[in-house]
Amino acid sequence: MIVKKIYNDLDTVVEEAMAGNRLLASPDADKYSVLLPNSHITVRREKYRKPKGLVKVTMGGGAGHEGPPGIPCRPGGFDAMTVGDVFAAPSARQMFRALCEIDDGSPIIMNVTNHAGDVLNAKLCMQLAKAKGMDVHMHILYDDVASAPKGREKERRAIGGCLSTLTIMAECGESVEEILRVAEKCNVLNRSYGVGIRSAIHPVSGLPIMAMPDDEIELGIGVHGESSGNRVKLMRSRELARLVCDTILDDMPIDPGEDIVVSLGGLGGMTWMELDIFYKDLYEYLTGEKKLNIISHRARNSGTQELGGFIVSIGHPDEEIKKWMATPVPDIYPKD
């Protein structure tokens, strides 16, 4: 099948996309970070690396997503990022090379999304790292209410999320134990739910990721379009906003008047007209009927190619999480 996408060589789509992203989407990427030769690994430049003793934090994920990983290596962000192949987890060897690059004897936290390949490869990487004497810890992200029932939250996939304190706490010199404690609390106080509307085409195989009849949508999909089997007829935006919010809030009840954080992530193929309308309906339902106070929000396309659909995340931060989310990056690096 012919792949009808803009590319030069299917064997180098990841490398070329990462190079273009550094040039275009993040014009200051070269200031703060460097792409290691013959790799998909980005690390902070020497000038912006944390002092020895401060906890280092890594992250990874598959290529082929809108808003690809691999660029946020800078003060306040990650120390290293590793990108896998299209929709595939980075290999254990890739992850291990990233750890070796930033290892200075300080503790390292691997921030891992709860997908089978990511977790398996991260565990293999940790075995390699521990054999070398590294002080490595793993924090697994989970938030998808559709992927496991209440009471089995740690079995859930990671598909969204809008509470994060891990990197700023590390930048401020907190201990690895404190960072992991608050990071787990962010998991506990965050829920996400996905909806699929239109299919996407895999950029290498040229095949549709999922079949979707014109008059149906799928509730509870994964970030790559993984099926839940829960197909329903297409409904109006305000009805869908109510359904999604109720699904999340039934799993994580929040009292009226409480503060929340909201994220609306388009799965790559949503128009801004659709996202604008849907966020309006989310906002009106959450602040109106549910009487919740949105203190922070984010809306963007950040998913899988042109996959139509979205992921809604709602976080219920306590005062400690709010404090860290509002903490500025410490001024500990050399001036330009």
Side-chain angles (χ1 to χ4, degrees):
M1 179 177 291
I2 295 175
V3 179
K4 193 176 182 181
K5 291 180 181 285
I6 301 297
Y7 67 95
N8 292 307
D9 187 332
L10 291 178
D11 291 333
T12 60
V13 290
V14 176
E15 291 81 0
E16 292 193 60
M18 290 184 70
N21 183 267
R22 291 178 62 81
L23 292 170
L24 180 63
S26 298
D28 60 353
D30 281 333
K31 172 182 175 181
Y32 294 110
S33 65
V34 60
L35 181 63
L36 299 184
N38 304 311
S39 80
H40 299 167
I41 301 167
T42 308
V43 298
R44 293 194 198 186
R45 289 193 179 276
E46 192 70 35
K47 180 179 179 180
Y48 296 103
R49 294 195 181 187
K50 292 196 194 89
K52 185 173 182 177
L54 269 64
V55 175
K56 311 303 187 289
V57 185
T58 71
M59 185 74 185
H65 299 87
E66 305 307 297
I71 57 173
C73 293
R74 63 188 69 199
F78 294 100
D79 298 274
M81 292 284 294
T82 308
V83 179
D85 290 329
V86 176
F87 308 155
S91 70
R93 288 287 179 183
Q94 284 181 299
M95 295 180 185
F96 180 58
R97 182 180 174 186
L99 296 188
C100 291
E101 182 68 24
I102 63 173
D103 178 41
D104 64 1
S106 307
I108 300 174
I109 296 175
M110 299 176 64
N111 203 38
V112 181
T113 56
N114 196 18
H115 297 275
D118 295 81
V119 174
L120 174 62
N121 290 351
K123 287 181 177 179
L124 293 172
C125 173
M126 284 190 68
Q127 292 178 12
L128 295 171
K130 288 183 180 296
K132 194 179 177 183
M134 294 183 188
D135 182 11
V136 182
H137 308 258
M138 189 187 308
H139 172 63
I140 298 180
L141 300 160
Y142 57 87
D143 59 293
D144 177 18
V145 300
S147 57
K150 194 171 178 63
R152 291 164 51 189
E153 285 83 358
K154 291 189 177 182
E155 299 176 24
R156 292 174 171 175
R157 298 176 297 200
I159 63 169
C162 53
L163 300 182
S164 179
T165 63
L166 194 144
T167 56
I168 188 61
M169 290 183 71
E171 205 78 47
C172 291
E174 294 295 310
S175 70
V176 66
E177 294 80 11
E178 274 295 285
I179 295 169
L180 290 172
R181 179 186 66 80
V182 181
E184 179 59 20
K185 185 161 58 170
C186 288
N187 274 340
V188 171
L189 295 174
N190 183 85
R191 299 289 190 279
S192 299
Y193 193 70
V195 176
I197 299 172
R198 297 179 291 272
S199 184
I201 303 299
H202 194 290
V204 176
S205 71
L207 298 174
I209 291 176
M210 62 177 182
M212 183 69 69
D214 290 341
D215 64 341
E216 292 183 356
I217 61 175
E218 185 160 331
L219 305 177
I221 68 164
V223 70
H224 306 98
E226 296 92 338
S227 177
S228 68
N230 187 9
R231 294 284 178 90
V232 300
K233 293 298 181 181
L234 178 64
M235 61 188 76
R236 298 300 186 188
S237 174
R238 64 175 59 91
E239 297 168 337
L240 189 55
R242 174 184 289 268
L243 184 153
V244 170
C245 291
D246 285 348
T247 301
I248 292 174
L249 296 176
D250 285 348
D251 196 88
M252 182 179 66
I254 304 175
D255 292 333
E258 291 285 292
D259 292 338
I260 61 170
V261 175
V262 176
S263 171
L264 171 60
L267 290 175
M270 295 295 285
T271 66
W272 271 106
M273 181 183 74
E274 293 171 291
L275 291 176
D276 287 342
I277 291 170
F278 192 73
Y279 183 77
K280 172 190 72 71
D281 293 331
L282 284 177
Y283 179 91
E284 289 177 352
Y285 184 62
L286 289 170
T287 62
E289 188 165 331
K290 291 298 181 180
K291 295 181 172 55
L292 298 172
N293 180 33
I294 299 176
I295 60 171
S296 177
H297 73 274
R298 178 180 66 182
R300 59 176 181 165
N301 264 319
S302 58
T304 301
Q305 297 289 302
E306 68 270 43
L307 180 62
F310 53 80
I311 291 168
V312 174
S313 297
I314 297 177
H316 184 207
D318 64 6
E319 292 305 315
E320 183 178 36
I321 293 173
K322 290 179 192 175
K323 182 198 79 170
W324 282 114
M325 291 181 71
T327 299
V329 178
D331 186 16
I332 59 175
Y333 298 98
K335 303 300 182 185
D336 296 333

